[in-house]
Amino acid sequence: MLMFLKFRNFSHSIKSTRPKNQNSCFELFRFCHFDSKLGLGSSSLTPTLSPQKPQNNVAIFWDLDNKPPKTVSPFEAAIKLKTAVCSFGFVKYMVAYANRHAFSYVPQVVREERKQRKSLNQLENKGVIKPVESYLCRVCGRNFYNNEKFINHFKQIHEREQRKRLNQIESARGKRRVMLVGKYAMKMQKYKNAARDILTPKVGYGLADELKRAGFWVRTVLDKPQAADVALKDHMVDMMDKRRAECFVLVSDDSDFVHVLKEAKSRCLKTVVVGDVNDGALKRVADAGFSWQEILMGKAKKDAETVVGRWKDRDVLKRLEWTYDPEVEKNLHGMVYEFDNYESNDECNGNDSEDGDMDNILDGDDVGCLQKEDARGWWELDSNPEVTSSQSC
């Protein structure tokens, strides 16, 4: 018993003399849990990220001369279009082409809305009707119960302030101009957001500004017939030559773009058409076609998954197709020729073969008869086989 107590005190003293760093190391392993299948020095402890496949680049080309948005605002149409097209890949380019007449054109829906607003203003001025909710100025926060007073307030105060800011920025140079732009950036953006819903555009209905706000690169061409179509075709062909996109989305109903879509398909590029004509020539040539109603309702985004799956199946079948490679065929024929020479050398060296056994079985006369028959052409047919066989032998 005494010896056991001494041994216990001796072991306790050894534990107390251990270095603190070592104890902290062991304490760390107590609270850290590792997988039993992995070692401490294994490189599998580090997180591994699975490599993602690169997405296809998508380019949107919008022909505004033949397909301007009518039922909805341009900004909403552009955002819905981009959302639907994102299912085909990464939207890298968004371009819209038109002449100045397309930007000055006002749709019938917008005209009717302006007429209704004008009649409501007249009734509000006479006191016949009163708006349910007040008109809130999103710049200063004031409320108005008359639309014309609200618009006059916005023009006389906020529009004048905006004009002063722009004049200061244009007259400044160098560092002062940079400081003014940074100082008025938030106020100018706030004014633009408020003026978009209050002020009526002087030309058109804000088509170019709304598309630019949605991220489109808007190009204005010369006032010549088919100028926008020619510029759009040249831009698409240029992007095909430089391989900047793998999927082309054309927003148009003009059948003049059929040749461009065929050129894209001949280069193994994917094509999608958006237009209101259901059985148009463009949709018959393209890989997929959608209407504006399907774009706005979100149906095109769901159908895009089916189209992408069909494209993947087509790519797999294309990789499985047999293609003629002269070098591979040459090497293959060389291997077959060497194999035939190897067999003929074995026969010459006295190896067992069926031909050798046949020579031992046949007599000399039979062999001569067979050689004569082999010498005769395959086209020499005999009318009486018994007579000819006796004569030949």
Side-chain angles (χ1 to χ4, degrees):
M1 186 67 181
L2 183 61
M3 294 294 294
F4 176 74
L5 292 174
K6 289 182 179 180
F7 178 76
R8 183 179 178 183
N9 295 332
F10 178 72
S11 62
H12 181 71
S13 61
I14 292 175
K15 289 180 180 179
S16 61
T17 57
R18 285 179 179 175
K20 294 183 179 180
N21 295 335
Q22 188 175 0
N23 290 333
S24 61
C25 182
F26 280 105
E27 290 295 330
L28 178 63
F29 280 105
R30 285 179 59 189
F31 293 102
C32 295
H33 300 279
F34 297 96
D35 192 358
S36 59
K37 297 181 181 180
L38 300 176
L40 296 178
S42 176
S43 60
S44 299
L45 294 175
T46 58
T48 56
L49 298 176
S50 58
Q52 297 181 355
K53 296 182 179 179
Q55 293 184 348
N56 295 329
N57 292 330
V58 182
I60 303 176
F61 291 91
W62 197 336
D63 181 19
L64 295 175
D65 285 346
N66 296 90
K67 188 46 57 188
K70 297 179 181 179
T71 57
V72 297
S73 63
F75 178 77
E76 183 180 357
I79 294 298
K80 292 284 187 180
L81 177 63
K82 184 179 179 181
T83 304
V85 171
C86 283
S87 302
F88 299 112
F90 175 69
V91 181
K92 193 173 182 180
Y93 303 97
M94 296 189 298
V95 186
Y97 278 86
N99 53 22
R100 64 180 184 86
H101 295 290
F103 297 117
S104 61
Y105 169 76
V106 180
Q108 186 65 27
V109 178
V110 179
R111 294 179 183 178
E112 293 178 357
E113 290 179 356
R114 291 180 179 179
K115 288 181 180 180
Q116 292 178 1
R117 183 69 263 177
K118 188 176 181 180
S119 62
L120 288 175
N121 291 340
Q122 293 176 357
L123 294 176
E124 287 178 0
N125 294 334
K126 294 179 181 180
V128 177
I129 61 173
K130 187 177 181 180
V132 179
E133 296 181 357
S134 61
Y135 302 101
L136 175 64
C137 180
R138 290 191 294 172
V139 178
C140 61
R142 292 182 60 182
N143 293 322
F144 296 87
Y145 287 92
N146 190 297
N147 187 49
E148 286 192 355
K149 292 182 179 180
F150 172 52
I151 294 175
N152 293 332
H153 157 78
F154 193 86
K155 288 182 178 180
Q156 293 175 3
I157 298 178
H158 303 300
E159 189 176 7
R160 186 178 299 175
E161 292 177 353
Q162 179 73 2
R163 197 178 299 112
K164 289 181 181 180
R165 298 189 197 104
L166 295 175
N167 292 333
Q168 289 181 11
I169 293 174
E170 290 179 358
S171 61
R173 294 291 183 272
K175 185 177 180 180
R176 176 174 172 76
R177 181 166 186 159
V178 176
M179 292 177 60
L180 290 175
V181 170
K183 179 181 178 181
Y184 297 139
M186 295 184 63
K187 293 182 179 180
M188 294 173 66
Q189 187 62 35
K190 191 175 182 179
Y191 169 82
K192 288 180 180 179
N193 295 335
R196 190 177 296 115
D197 301 329
I198 298 173
L199 301 181
T200 303
K202 296 180 180 180
V203 179
Y205 65 113
L207 177 60
D209 295 336
E210 292 295 299
L211 292 181
K212 290 179 181 178
R213 187 163 67 98
F216 272 83
W217 184 44
V218 181
R219 294 295 305 273
T220 305
V221 297
L222 300 176
D223 295 334
K224 294 181 180 180
Q226 304 296 326
D229 296 348
V230 173
L232 193 58
K233 292 176 186 177
D234 295 341
H235 197 169
M236 292 181 68
V237 173
D238 181 66
M239 293 193 68
M240 292 179 195
D241 295 337
K242 296 179 181 178
R243 303 293 295 183
R244 291 184 176 178
E246 290 78 23
C247 179
F248 288 82
V249 179
L250 178 62
V251 185
S252 178
D253 283 330
D254 194 350
S255 59
D256 294 339
F257 294 100
V258 171
H259 299 291
V260 181
L261 294 180
K262 290 182 179 180
E263 178 67 20
K265 295 190 71 175
S266 65
R267 301 189 185 192
C268 300
L269 299 175
K270 303 172 180 63
T271 55
V272 180
V273 172
V274 177
D276 289 334
V277 179
N278 295 328
D279 297 330
L282 296 179
K283 291 185 178 181
R284 290 195 297 266
V285 176
D287 296 330
F290 303 101
S291 63
W292 270 113
Q293 185 177 3
E294 294 175 346
I295 295 291
L296 299 177
M297 293 176 60
K299 185 180 178 182
K301 185 175 179 60
K302 297 179 180 179
D303 296 342
E305 299 178 357
T306 305
V307 176
V308 172
R310 189 164 64 245
W311 286 344
K312 291 181 180 179
D313 296 341
R314 186 180 65 182
D315 294 339
V316 171
L317 293 175
K318 189 178 297 183
R319 288 196 297 267
L320 294 176
E321 290 180 356
W322 177 82
T323 55
Y324 176 74
D325 191 353
E327 296 296 332
V328 176
E329 295 295 329
K330 184 178 180 180
N331 296 334
L332 182 61
H333 286 298
M335 294 173 62
V336 174
Y337 180 73
E338 291 178 359
F339 183 74
D340 293 339
N341 291 338
Y342 177 75
E343 288 186 346
S344 61
N345 292 333
D346 290 344
E347 293 176 0
C348 293
N349 292 333
N351 296 336
D352 296 336
S353 61
E354 296 180 358
D355 296 339
D357 296 339
M358 186 63 69
D359 293 339
N360 295 330
I361 295 173
L362 295 176
D363 296 335
D365 297 336
D366 296 335
V367 172
C369 181
L370 290 174
Q371 290 178 354
K372 291 179 181 179
E373 289 181 357
D374 293 340
R376 190 172 62 251
W378 61 271
W379 60 87
E380 297 179 2
L381 301 178
D382 300 329
S383 60
N384 191 354
E386 295 180 357
V387 176
T388 54
S389 61
S390 62
Q391 291 177 358
S392 60
C393 292

